[in-house]
Amino acid sequence: MTFRALVVDKTGESEVSAAVQTLTEDQLPAGNVTVAVEYTTVNYKDGLCMRAGGGLVRNYPHVPGIDFAGTVESSADPRYQPGDKVVLTGWRVGETHWGGYSQKARVDADWLVPLPDGLTTRQAMAIGTAGFAAILAIVALEDHGLKPDQGEVLVTGAAGGVGSIATAILANTGYEVAAVTGRPQAAEYLKSLGASRIVAREAIDTVSRKPLESETWAGCVDAVGGEMLARVIGQLKYGASVAAVGLAGGAALPTSVIPFLLRGVNLLGIDSVMQPYQQRVRAWQRIASDLPLDKLDAMIQQANLAVVPSLGEQILAGQVKGRIVVDVNA
């Protein structure tokens, strides 16, 4: 049987191309579960996987797509039966293993989780890796003592995928959200998700000469990293935490140990790739219960496989608002 997939291949020593091709099932990689993919997304890592020199793909030809949702077609693992709805995020699928930009995927059963009750496969991919990372960040902050009555929670990169989901969940569960964006036109969108105020990126994206500033934030979900994260660390309230979940602003962290020693703040690293199964199930259950689905629908842009390469360039340039849902069968 044949199916369509977006295939990235080398065209030169330092060049790659990405195009939709027709493949056969015997070309799929090894795995004990075959899934008929219904929806996938476009994430920052996906953009890197479609770009020469992105640093994530080692072997070509390659099918990117770091997450997907669909229906089990066949399974050699007793946990999954044909017809089961499943979700996959992480495990370096789409990087070292063929991913979700395809009508079919073959993966290890350990990488899947059942689709939570109350969510469709389309909604699951509107959430996707970005939403999964966002809820992991929120749970980590709460595990370190964050509560709604402690003050404003800052969300950086708020108009992006992680930030949009984090803003909607935090606001829906009683938190006062301050949303950082460099796009003034995104202000009304962020307020519609529940943000109580908008913070201009230029007000917080440069390092202060002072290691400590006024205690402002009860917590932070940071999708930017770099100088903005360093600035936020110096503005956290005593004992507060920031969950670091992205590096769109750079991987360097130009800060000092002073905020950690004098204010007892916490920097929490969030990894969405290698999370164990039970943590994944907990996170997806929390998403299903706490994310307002009407807000989710407002975040969605729908696309097909043919336009994914151009969307990958847009997301790397910080030009994508909300969540892109790719219908692989469109």
Side-chain angles (χ1 to χ4, degrees):
M1 292 183 64
T2 61
F3 59 93
R4 293 184 305 122
L6 181 69
V7 180
V8 178
D9 207 352
K10 277 198 167 185
T11 56
E13 188 62 32
S14 59
E15 297 179 349
V16 299
S17 66
V20 177
Q21 298 183 16
T22 299
L23 304 179
T24 59
E25 286 197 24
D26 59 5
Q27 292 176 272
L28 288 170
N32 55 7
V33 180
T34 300
V35 179
V37 178
E38 296 168 16
Y39 295 97
T40 179
T41 64
V42 181
N43 299 279
Y44 193 87
K45 278 187 176 180
D46 295 316
L48 293 175
C49 289
M50 290 181 283
R51 170 184 281 187
L56 298 178
V57 180
R58 296 287 185 267
N59 299 305
Y60 295 92
H62 179 70
V63 176
I66 67 169
D67 48 20
F68 63 79
T71 304
V72 172
E73 278 197 346
S74 64
S75 173
D77 187 288
R79 288 172 291 180
Y80 297 103
Q81 304 298 321
D84 289 348
K85 299 289 186 179
V86 291
V87 181
L88 182 144
T89 62
W91 299 109
R92 302 206 68 194
V93 170
E95 301 173 49
T96 62
H97 189 94
W98 282 17
Y101 291 165
S102 173
Q103 292 177 311
K104 292 186 188 294
R106 185 174 291 143
V107 297
D108 192 310
D110 290 338
W111 303 343
L112 299 167
V113 294
L115 180 72
D117 291 341
L119 291 181
T120 65
T121 52
R122 183 175 184 270
Q123 289 169 332
M125 281 299 99
I127 297 160
T129 295
F132 180 64
I135 195 63
L136 290 175
I138 293 169
V139 168
L141 291 172
E142 291 178 339
D143 286 347
H144 281 76
L146 180 65
K147 294 181 174 60
D149 61 359
Q150 293 173 340
E152 285 184 300
V153 178
L154 190 71
V155 177
T156 69
V162 173
S164 293
I165 300 286
T167 297
I169 292 177
L170 286 165
N172 191 53
T173 51
Y175 290 94
E176 188 177 359
V177 180
V180 181
T181 183
R183 293 177 272 176
Q185 66 273 22
E188 290 306 312
Y189 164 73
L190 291 168
K191 289 178 180 177
S192 75
L193 299 182
S196 55
R197 73 172 170 124
I198 307 300
V199 178
R201 181 171 61 198
E202 57 268 23
I204 200 170
D205 67 351
T206 55
V207 177
S208 171
R209 289 181 294 176
K210 300 177 181 179
L212 292 175
E213 299 183 76
S214 297
E215 297 182 44
T216 306
W217 316 116
C220 174
V221 175
D222 174 62
V224 175
E227 293 186 352
M228 188 177 294
L229 174 57
R231 186 75 179 273
V232 169
I233 288 171
Q235 296 178 349
L236 289 172
K237 292 184 176 183
Y238 187 89
S241 303
V242 52
V245 71
L247 44 63
L253 186 58
T255 187
S256 77
V257 298
I258 298 300
F260 304 101
L261 299 179
L262 299 187
R263 282 199 186 147
V265 303
N266 305 292
L267 175 58
L268 311 176
I270 305 301
D271 167 57
S272 65
V273 177
M274 306 305 289
Q275 285 285 323
Y277 177 80
Q278 290 300 331
Q279 287 292 90
R280 289 175 181 275
V281 172
R282 176 193 180 197
W284 277 103
Q285 288 174 342
R286 177 74 186 273
I287 290 170
S289 65
D290 290 350
L291 177 62
L293 295 183
D294 60 326
K295 306 293 186 186
L296 181 67
D297 291 339
M299 301 177 200
I300 297 173
Q301 305 175 53
Q302 188 150 316
N304 58 39
L305 284 176
V307 299
V308 164
S310 63
L311 292 170
E313 289 300 317
Q314 289 177 36
I315 202 166
L316 291 178
Q319 297 171 348
V320 170
K321 181 182 76 174
R323 298 289 294 141
I324 298 169
V325 174
V326 180
D327 181 349
V328 302
N329 298 301

